[in-house]
Amino acid sequence: MYILRSLYLLWLIPRSWIDAFLVRNKPFALRYACMKKWSEKLLSHYRVILDVQFQEQLPKEQPILFVCNHQSEFDMLLQMAV
């Protein structure tokens, strides 16, 4: 099972580089959508389940800054997926 997952990752990484190369000169919204798609794909590959709690308590009328402490390699993927 782990061998198949590793092989799948070996296929995903070059494919993500190609996608990044193709959208490098596109508007920010398109680049962001591409990064979000790849983040969700990698998280689903590792069977990570996101459970966002207390989302309704976040202020909607002012900006919010989320900071990762980089405890794992999933920090940035999680931020992009959410």
Side-chain angles (χ1 to χ4, degrees), residues 5-62:
R5 287 183 176 271
S6 299
L7 290 175
Y8 182 68
L9 265 183
L10 286 176
W11 177 78
L12 271 183
I13 291 171
R15 181 140 182 260
S16 69
W17 291 344
I18 292 169
D19 275 1
F21 180 77
L22 293 175
V23 298
R24 72 184 188 282
N25 294 325
K26 303 286 185 201
F28 177 77
L30 252 114
R31 291 187 317 234
Y32 182 82
C34 184
M35 289 187 297
K36 182 174 173 60
K37 176 188 78 169
W38 277 104
S39 295
E40 291 169 348
K41 189 176 286 196
L42 285 171
L43 289 173
S44 70
H45 173 72
Y46 284 110
R47 297 184 181 158
V48 174
I49 297 171
L50 295 176
D51 182 19
V52 180
Q53 298 178 355
F54 306 109
Q55 188 173 7
E56 64 279 351
Q57 294 179 359
L58 296 174
K60 305 229 186 307
E61 62 279 345
Q62 58 188 0

Side-chain angles (χ1 to χ4, degrees), residues 9 38-39 42-43 46 48 68-80:
L9 265 183
W38 277 104
S39 295
L42 285 171
L43 289 173
Y46 284 110
V48 174
C68 287
N69 59 0
H70 298 292
Q71 293 294 314
S72 74
E73 60 274 355
F74 290 109
D75 287 353
M76 293 309 292
L77 293 174
L78 290 170
Q79 275 193 337
M80 289 302 302

